[in-house]
Amino acid sequence: MSRSIPSAAPVSGAQVREAVAHCVETLSGVPSDQWGVPAGDLEWTCWETLEHLADDLLTYALRFGLARPMGVPRVPLRLSRDRAGGPANVVFGDTAAGPEGLLTVVEACGGLLAAAVDSADPTMLAPHVFGASDPEGFAAMGVVETLVHTYDIARGVRRDGTPPRT
């Protein structure tokens, strides 16, 4: 007897926005002096990990701004690091704006990914280092990155980063 596996609801921009809202809510109000500690078990600081998250969300969105994403293996943005061993990013927060400013960057990058996946042709594929994916796949990757790194950072700043069960 064959069993069918129930299909999950599609992942869309709404879930990206929910994950980012959880990130912002969880990490808002963390004092500036706590952002230099390691994020959970990572070698990156909490600040660097949040910059990495913003970077992922933006670069995922940029893939669907191209007419033919599969023809461009990587959007050729300049990568840089603030320190040896830190993440190589194209997005960095303005330290003068503090943690709340960096959370605004994450929210904006998450909003761009949400808009990109919701407006892209659902059959369009774009490259990723682990293989090509459609907009729903990039939305799912954005959600996972957001929830995992929010949890990492929350551990570093001693907050509960457990995502809501929705």
Side-chain angles (χ1 to χ4, degrees), residues 68-160:
R68 291 181 197 86
M70 290 303 292
V72 180
R74 180 183 156 276
V75 176
L77 298 167
R78 182 176 57 85
L79 296 173
S80 60
R81 300 176 198 273
D82 279 346
R83 66 171 182 87
N89 292 336
V90 299
V91 175
F92 295 89
D94 179 358
T95 56
E100 300 305 318
L102 183 52
L103 287 167
T104 300
V105 172
V106 168
E107 185 178 6
C109 291
L112 286 172
L113 177 58
V117 300
D118 285 347
S119 64
D121 175 343
T123 64
M124 180 182 281
L125 293 177
H128 185 271
V129 332
F130 296 116
S133 187
D134 60 12
E136 181 182 8
F138 274 92
M141 287 186 276
V143 168
V144 168
E145 287 282 337
T146 301
L147 296 178
V148 167
H149 287 315
T150 298
Y151 184 78
D152 292 334
I153 297 164
R155 286 181 56 211
V157 298
R158 295 188 167 88
R159 290 205 171 178
D160 180 13

Side-chain angles (χ1 to χ4, degrees), residues 39-53:
D41 295 331
L42 301 177
E43 294 180 10
W44 297 339
T45 67
C46 292
W47 182 274
E48 290 170 332
T49 303
L50 196 60
E51 285 179 329
H52 164 77
L53 173 58

